[in-house]
Amino acid sequence: MITMKFDKTRLDRLFKDAPKKMLVAAGTEIRTSARIFAAVAAKNTLPYGAYDQPPKAAMDTVKNQIKRTQVPIDSLGSMWQILKDVDKGLAAAFWTAVKMKKMGLAKQILDDLQAAGGSFTHGAVSPDIHTKARTGKNRSVPTNHRPSHIITSAGKALNTYIGRKEKTIGAAKAGWIAAGKSIGGSISAREGVKAWYNTGRHSKAKGTHQLIRTETETFLKLTNQVPWADVAFPASRKKVTGVEFLPAFRKAVQKRKEKLAEAAFRRQGGR
């Protein structure tokens, strides 16, 4: 979980020379600005950027990392690398059984290979094995990791799991959008947010806000509740978010000033 504080004192400084009524409007403006902040924070959360579709590189990374943890029974090349060092004769028998589509026999041979000292498991696709292997940077599977689990069904089962995990790309971004939306209003293409990391696609991504007032200041606390948000939003990107956010923040304040001035002008009958 990541928490970012949005301090009202910056807003007050921008309103410093404005009429008192404009300062009263700060409560509304801070909510608008916090939604802008959520959109900027989302852009700076892995995978970085605001592309129209999930980056191909991110899709490929998910696929390749999963394949480092487990292989389907009909992936003979990968299977040979796992089994040959246990018993070449049994490995060859396994190869023949799979090619002849005698899957029952192939599974029996896997049991024999395990009994012969093979340090692998076999069974259904294993999300748990994938999760436990994610020990590298940004919860990645290290490049030198080798498969230790054999999926005892054809490659389609693994592809289905990969597809399911690819759909979670952008969930950490969506946690910020959820936090911004919890304040009220929408966050969409108007703020530069793309559908693949909005809450429509990631309905389980959660985020909250808290409005805190003291005698001297008011600030909003935005919390991205996606479990891996702390990894996907490193300290370096927090700094970038602050820099990119400020121009949009100032623009929102100026827009509010103009609206208040127009309203005051209309109340005075256009004088």
Side-chain angles (χ1 to χ4, degrees), residues 6 10 43 99 108 113 128-129 132-133 150 219 265-266:
F6 182 89
R10 289 187 177 184
K43 188 179 74 170
K99 290 189 74 173
Q108 289 179 21
L113 282 160
D128 186 54
I129 286 175
K132 288 179 178 178
I150 298 167
F219 63 89
F265 184 74
R266 286 195 297 271

Side-chain angles (χ1 to χ4, degrees), residues 9-238:
T9 54
R10 289 187 177 184
L11 184 65
D12 288 343
R13 284 198 295 271
L14 290 174
F15 272 107
K16 184 176 179 181
D17 299 322
K20 189 173 182 179
K21 285 186 178 181
M22 289 188 181
L23 287 173
V24 173
T28 299
E29 195 58 56
I30 194 172
R31 288 169 172 80
T32 301
S33 297
R35 291 197 295 271
I36 295 171
F37 175 84
V40 176
K43 188 179 74 170
N44 284 292
T45 298
L46 285 170
Y48 304 134
Y51 306 99
D52 289 336
Q53 299 294 332
K56 185 178 183 301
M59 304 280 280
D60 290 343
T61 296
V62 168
K63 177 178 65 177
N64 293 336
Q65 289 188 14
I66 292 173
K67 287 185 174 181
R68 289 187 203 129
T69 68
Q70 49 205 295
V71 294
I73 197 169
D74 57 349
S75 183
L76 296 180
S78 298
M79 295 303 308
W80 180 254
Q81 295 302 318
I82 293 174
L83 305 178
K84 68 176 183 177
D85 293 334
V86 181
D87 186 307
K88 283 191 176 182
L90 284 174
F94 171 82
W95 184 294
T96 300
V98 172
K99 290 189 74 173
M100 295 177 66
K101 298 185 178 179
K102 294 181 178 181
M103 293 306 178
L105 175 59
K107 293 175 186 179
Q108 289 179 21
I109 297 173
L110 287 179
D111 290 336
D112 293 339
L113 282 160
Q114 279 186 314
S119 58
F120 62 87
T121 57
H122 63 88
V125 172
S126 177
D128 186 54
I129 286 175
H130 173 215
T131 299
K132 288 179 178 178
R134 300 177 70 177
T135 59
K137 184 179 179 181
N138 296 329
R139 296 175 71 245
S140 64
V141 178
T143 55
N144 62 351
H145 192 280
R146 293 295 175 262
S148 61
H149 180 70
I150 298 167
I151 304 165
T152 51
S153 57
K156 184 178 179 181
L158 180 59
N159 291 336
T160 299
Y161 175 66
I162 290 171
R164 190 163 73 244
K165 295 302 292 184
E166 286 176 339
K167 288 181 180 178
T168 68
I169 294 174
K173 289 172 168 286
W176 289 117
I177 306 304
K181 286 184 176 181
S182 73
I183 299 167
S186 63
I187 303 177
S188 59
R190 178 184 57 194
E191 289 81 21
V193 173
K194 308 303 181 183
W196 64 270
Y197 63 88
N198 210 326
T199 52
R201 177 163 179 168
H202 301 284
S203 59
K204 294 182 179 180
K206 304 300 180 184
T208 63
H209 81 281
Q210 184 181 7
L211 183 63
I212 302 171
R213 291 188 175 92
T214 68
E215 291 184 358
T216 58
E217 64 180 11
T218 299
F219 63 89
L220 273 172
K221 182 167 71 173
L222 299 181
T223 303
N224 185 336
Q225 295 178 312
V226 173
W228 58 92
D230 57 336
V231 175
F233 191 61
S236 60
R237 285 291 168 159
K238 293 177 185 178

